[in-house]
Amino acid sequence: MRLKVVLLGEGRVGKTSILFRYIRNEFQEKQQSTLQASYMDKRIKVGSVDAQLSVWDTAGQERFHALGPIYYRDADGALLVYDITNSESFTKVRKWVKELRKIVGNDINIVIAGNKIDLERNRQVSEAEVLEYAKSVGASHFYTSAKQNLGLEECFNELATKMVAQN
Ligand code: GDP
Ligand code: MG
């Protein structure tokens, strides 16, 4: 079973870093912003089901508000990433949830990742606010760090479980 997951969120929140850490177990302090829009595959087992996740990353178009629906309209799931040290990036998550529900439909599986949890001392987004919001839209929420490799398996396992259950 092949499942498409898109990474979405404001520029610089760590989407590309999450992709490289999750698939290749690599991290770069100076992640290139000009990578091509592309995807990487990962095989994952959900119970007895063999799933192949295609995880799509943007080429940085989100920085110019130029990310078209062609990128996400056939997605089975979305990992919406914000940076816990940047409250605006969490506001952007709310916009993405609305956009996805409108364009892809209410069935899209959404997991929210509060990235850069290694920088918790600079936290700008309150946990209570995030948990309440995630609950209100029926999404799971995890804290992640692409830098320290925290929470990423949990995010993708949760998404895969939801997507497999739906297919
Ligand atoms: P994107 O624009 O959403 O793809 O973000 P990038 O993956 O390019 O990351 C933006 C910057 O944040 C880069 O300098 C990364 O090294 C850094 N970064 C990404 N994830 C983390 C993290 O979990 N912790 C910390 N401290 N920095 C991170
Ligand atoms: Mg990127």
Side-chain angles (χ1 to χ4, degrees):
M1 182 187 298
R2 193 156 191 206
L3 299 164
K4 176 173 173 178
V5 173
V6 288
L7 291 165
L8 284 169
E10 191 167 276
R12 309 288 303 163
V13 295
K15 300 179 298 298
T16 301
S17 300
I18 284 174
L19 181 70
F20 275 79
R21 173 62 87 186
Y22 178 62
I23 309 251
R24 293 195 184 159
N25 200 17
E26 289 170 6
F27 179 80
Q28 291 176 322
E29 291 287 345
K30 295 221 162 107
Q31 188 60 257
Q32 293 284 325
S33 60
T34 49
L35 289 172
Q36 295 298 305
S38 61
Y39 66 90
M40 290 190 207
D41 285 336
K42 177 145 173 152
R43 286 181 172 280
I44 182 170
K45 251 198 155 3
V46 180
S48 59
V49 178
D50 256 320
Q52 178 160 333
L53 295 188
S54 298
V55 185
W56 287 71
D57 186 24
T58 74
Q61 309 96 314
E62 71 278 13
R63 285 168 213 188
F64 318 106
H65 311 286
L67 190 63
I70 193 160
Y71 172 69
Y72 52 82
R73 77 180 164 208
D74 59 347
D76 301 292
L79 184 62
L80 301 192
V81 185
Y82 70 96
D83 171 351
I84 64 148
T85 71
N86 173 353
S87 57
E88 252 177 58
S89 71
F90 182 67
T91 305
K92 203 69 209 256
V93 166
R94 297 171 185 266
K95 287 192 185 153
W96 274 118
V97 169
K98 284 193 191 133
E99 175 88 1
L100 287 170
R101 296 255 158 99
K102 193 172 89 188
I103 306 284
V104 188
N106 280 317
D107 290 346
I108 177 124
N109 297 291
I110 295 173
V111 169
I112 301 170
N115 193 41
K116 308 195 187 180
I117 193 62
D118 55 289
L119 302 177
E120 187 163 16
R121 64 187 181 281
N122 300 326
R123 179 198 280 269
Q124 269 192 16
V125 183
S126 100
E127 174 157 73
E129 182 190 4
V130 168
L131 295 185
E132 189 190 312
Y133 174 72
K135 196 175 168 196
S136 76
V137 295
S140 312
H141 173 270
F142 297 92
Y143 288 116
T144 61
S145 169
K147 184 170 182 174
Q148 296 185 342
N149 198 11
L150 300 171
L152 299 179
E153 300 280 337
E154 287 85 344
C155 284
F156 287 100
N157 285 341
E158 171 76 6
L159 260 180
T161 303
K162 287 181 168 184
M163 293 186 297
V164 165
Q166 188 181 59
N167 267 257

